[in-house]
Amino acid sequence: MMVSNISVSDISVSKDLVVDPSAVGTASGQPDLWCTYAAIRTIAWLGRPDGFVDAERTARYLASRRNGDGGYAWSRGMASDAWATYYCTQGLTDLLRLGVADATPSDVERTTRWLRTTWSGDAFAMMPGQTPDVWATFFSTRTAVEICVDGESVDAERLLKWLAGLQTADGGLAWTPEHAARGEADARACFYGVLAWRALARLGTHPAPWDTGRLVDWLRAQQTPQGGFRFSPDAEVPCMWATYRATVALDALGSGPADPGACVSWIARMRGATGAFVRWEGYPVEDVWASFCAIGSLRALRAPTGPYADAVVARMRQLACADGGYTYREPALAADALSTSASILSDLAHGGGPDSPDIDTRRRWLRGCLLPNEGGVMYMPARGSEVRCTLWALEAGALHGAGHLAGRIAPWLRGLQNPDGGFGYWEGRGSDVVSSVAAAEIGRILGDGHGSPLEPSALLRFLESCRTPGPTDGTPWQAGNVPGGEPTLRSTLQALRARQLLGDADPQAVAQALARHQVSGGGFANTGNRIPDLLSTYEAVLTAGRHGIALDREHIRRFCDRVTQEHGTAWTPLAPADGRDLLAECVGDLLRQWVGADIAELPALTIS
């Protein structure tokens, strides 16, 4: 063991952004996909298969995220996206290469076909129909070329032209060419763009499509006097994530930091009590991403990793979950914003006092997810601000007694709006209806005291682009989650709810959508009108209430009875509950409370 050389007093940002050690969130005990990928990659880089607790179970966890279309999803039941597909297939490939699991990605041909549906003609989108962005382009280019060994999915010349358009006037790279026109460069975008270009080297020799001298200069300028890197000139503190992205991008360009020794020294100073790493000065948790980024940065800097390997491997083992996979810290302590918000809302639904000490400590933990460099609530501390998590946290009262922090969220939300007018899950990700309605609801909660957090007319244009055109003028209003996506009840109601918040209500369209998807036995279905589910029924009750449409409480009660099972709340009557899904419990508790007329309106909880 080593004694930490980091103290909270060292942090150079507002005291509001210091983690409160007395605040305790709610942990699900479940693995997380990003954490699992980071742990596998770190262990692989160190060449230490002893870092795995149960590699076969971890392989099964990754494989379970595969959908019938060949892509992979963040969690079961969600749509496939490029992010999850890369993490799962790369993780399985690493497990196979290390010889610790029989983990060959299955039916690679189908995965290849799915990837081709995300190709826009110039670059890759996170899912079919979305605007391409550099996150998705990195993920899918590497998956197609390195995992699927498929060069036909990528038109290298068109992709290189698109990548060239990412360079901003000051030399950095942005999320999309449209973001570049706004001058929004970021070290993460530089990494994703440069590594996507480097992956193309497997298909032939392609010169870098940028002014690499200016790009190197921009990246080098993000190194701070402390030695670590920041995301951009607007970031508050240097962090391990930015340092990893910048050093690897510089290395891929045949360069390095202006002061590599200072960078190595800064990384070494970011060790905590166990000898593994933290993300920035003053942050007390040695989480999975910090060690992943530290080891990756040291490799890019050609610095030795051996002195840190034992401590990092031991820490990775502590982060393993019982059923396979990894989370960001010890599973019993790995709280997240969605589970914590859900537990608060469930307790309130069961009659818990809004000012009780137990709820207060969880709300303070949520406020601890407002951390340096990004203004929204992070899904897990030190990970990255996410629009849905911010909405859930606000609905759970995270700002109760700390309303001044709204002044931090509002400008973050304003900057999150994409050039097409919509919002994505996080900065730089392509727009979708789920994220866009979450952004509109956050704007409602924040009110007018911090300036307009979004541009209404631009958001309305994006929502209209997701509308599914019909053959006649009489076709009911319906929408997909992304432009060109298949229309569903949830996407339609979410788009209509967002439109209402922007002053363009259409109660007739809401009523028509509800009628099309009402299930005779109780509840509402996302597609058709035969199999109801919890999220669609919740969205139906929420949106109907917002538009003054009365629903039959007995009809909803029958559905609630069917999903209320011995071991918890199920997402559908056909899926057995396992008693561990805090989000399903929360949504079910709130619906049951509405059925009993204990509340007039549901909180705006949106997840998919």
Side-chain angles (χ1 to χ4, degrees):
M1 292 283 191
M2 66 172 289
V3 178
S4 173
N5 55 12
I6 302 167
S7 68
V8 172
S9 62
D10 293 331
I11 200 163
S12 59
V13 296
S14 165
K15 62 183 176 65
D16 291 321
L17 304 182
V18 178
V19 174
D20 181 352
S22 69
V24 179
T26 304
S28 70
Q30 299 302 298
D32 174 81
L33 181 54
W34 190 8
C35 300
T36 301
Y37 166 80
I40 293 171
R41 205 70 166 144
T42 305
I43 294 166
W45 281 337
L46 293 172
R48 292 285 298 270
D50 55 316
F52 296 107
V53 174
D54 192 330
E56 290 289 354
R57 283 191 177 185
T58 294
R60 288 196 293 272
Y61 163 73
L62 293 174
S64 73
R65 268 48 194 165
R66 186 179 180 279
N67 288 325
D69 59 13
Y72 293 72
W74 174 47
S75 62
R76 287 182 184 174
M78 294 187 70
S80 301
D81 65 32
W83 174 80
T85 299
Y86 172 72
Y87 282 167
C88 288
T89 55
Q90 182 63 65
L92 289 167
T93 300
D94 279 342
L95 292 172
L96 185 66
R97 286 173 180 165
L98 286 167
V100 294
D102 183 10
T104 306
S106 63
D107 201 352
V108 171
E109 293 79 11
R110 181 168 291 185
T111 300
T112 299
R113 290 196 296 272
W114 180 81
L115 283 171
R116 290 175 181 173
T117 68
T118 69
W119 175 255
S120 72
D122 297 303
F124 286 101
M126 196 65 79
M127 58 178 59
Q130 281 189 302
T131 301
D133 62 62
V134 76
W135 297 87
T137 295
F138 162 81
F139 295 137
S140 290
T141 301
R142 293 199 66 178
T143 305
V145 173
E146 298 175 5
I147 306 297
C148 298
V149 195
D150 168 53
E152 296 182 10
S153 297
V154 184
D155 184 329
E157 294 306 317
R158 295 188 71 171
L159 178 54
L160 286 165
K161 184 178 179 180
W162 185 87
L163 289 171
L166 301 179
Q167 192 156 34
T168 59
D170 58 3
L173 302 186
W175 310 111
T176 69
E178 293 76 21
H179 284 89
R182 302 197 312 200
E184 298 175 2
D186 189 285
R188 291 166 294 189
C190 294
F191 169 91
Y192 292 126
V194 169
L195 271 291
W197 160 68
R198 194 175 71 172
L200 289 175
R202 291 174 179 254
L203 303 179
T205 301
H206 301 285
W210 311 285
D211 181 335
T212 55
R214 292 172 57 240
L215 175 53
V216 166
D217 288 345
W218 187 91
L219 282 165
R220 284 181 164 181
Q222 306 320 308
Q223 188 174 16
T224 65
Q226 296 97 317
F229 283 75
R230 58 190 178 178
F231 288 131
S232 70
D234 296 331
E236 294 162 304
V237 296
C239 79
M240 199 68 78
W241 189 11
T243 299
Y244 170 64
R245 299 307 188 197
T247 55
V248 173
L250 284 166
D251 181 56
L253 291 166
S255 185
D259 191 342
C263 188
V264 172
S265 296
W266 180 84
I267 293 170
R269 292 199 303 273
M270 294 301 106
R271 299 180 78 187
T274 71
F277 294 88
V278 300
R279 185 159 154 187
W280 52 66
E281 286 188 271
Y283 186 71
V285 179
E286 296 148 284
D287 60 44
V288 68
W289 310 295
S291 287
F292 163 76
C293 292
I295 298 302
S297 297
L298 292 169
R299 284 164 50 86
L301 293 163
R302 307 295 190 271
T305 58
Y308 313 105
D310 286 346
V312 168
V313 167
R315 183 60 175 163
M316 293 299 109
R317 293 182 63 86
Q318 292 175 343
L319 311 184
C321 297
D323 294 330
Y326 293 77
T327 186
Y328 72 100
R329 60 171 308 177
E330 303 90 331
L333 301 175
D336 67 79
L338 291 177
S339 296
T340 301
S341 299
S343 71
I344 291 171
L345 290 164
S346 282
D347 283 358
L348 293 172
H350 287 296
D355 297 316
S356 71
D358 187 42
I359 286 178
D360 176 69
T361 191
R362 280 175 281 167
R363 284 175 169 164
R364 285 189 287 111
W365 186 89
L366 287 171
R367 290 198 289 275
C369 291
L370 287 163
L371 286 166
N373 300 333
E374 296 184 83
V377 173
M378 300 178 175
Y379 172 54
M380 293 170 169
R383 173 164 169 164
S385 297
E386 209 258 32
V387 68
R388 298 169 304 172
C389 298
T390 302
L391 174 59
W392 278 65
L394 293 180
E395 288 286 27
L399 298 190
H400 184 68
H404 62 287
L405 291 176
R408 182 175 182 83
I409 296 173
W412 165 77
L413 187 66
R414 194 176 303 120
L416 201 66
Q417 191 163 15
N418 286 323
D420 64 8
F423 290 78
Y425 288 168
W426 56 72
E427 186 177 358
R429 179 159 175 174
S431 303
D432 58 64
V433 168
V434 167
S435 303
S436 295
V437 71
E441 293 286 3
I442 292 169
R444 169 187 61 83
I445 294 170
L446 294 179
D448 300 324
H450 304 279
S452 176
L454 48 82
E455 172 49 53
S457 60
L459 180 52
L460 282 170
R461 286 197 301 273
F462 172 74
L463 295 170
E464 186 63 27
S465 74
C466 296
R467 181 176 179 179
T468 303
T472 67
D473 292 339
T475 300
W477 204 103
Q478 53 187 354
N481 187 42
V482 296
E486 289 295 320
T488 65
L489 174 64
R490 289 204 297 274
S491 295
T492 298
L493 295 183
Q494 288 160 359
L496 290 168
R497 181 155 51 92
R499 286 180 59 189
Q500 182 197 39
L501 290 168
L502 299 172
D504 190 18
D506 190 345
Q508 181 179 5
V510 173
Q512 290 173 335
L514 293 172
R516 288 195 303 274
H517 295 279
Q518 181 169 316
V519 179
S520 60
F524 291 82
N526 196 37
T527 57
N529 63 353
R530 297 184 61 188
I531 304 175
D533 68 86
L534 193 57
L535 286 178
S536 299
T537 302
Y538 189 93
E539 183 65 55
V541 174
L542 168 61
T543 308
R546 290 283 184 87
H547 288 79
I549 298 171
L551 294 182
D552 181 358
R553 291 181 191 267
E554 177 61 22
H555 176 260
I556 304 301
R557 184 195 63 75
R558 290 198 301 271
F559 169 78
C560 289
D561 287 347
R562 295 176 67 194
V563 295
T564 303
Q565 301 176 3
E566 180 182 359
H567 299 293
T569 301
W571 287 109
T572 77
L574 303 180
D578 60 13
R580 298 179 298 180
D581 199 316
L582 295 168
L583 273 62
E585 291 297 316
C586 169
V587 173
D589 286 340
L590 291 167
L591 267 182
R592 287 184 284 267
Q593 189 183 40
W594 180 86
V595 166
D598 294 322
I599 53 172
E601 184 176 300
L602 297 172
L605 305 179
T606 304
I607 193 68
S608 73

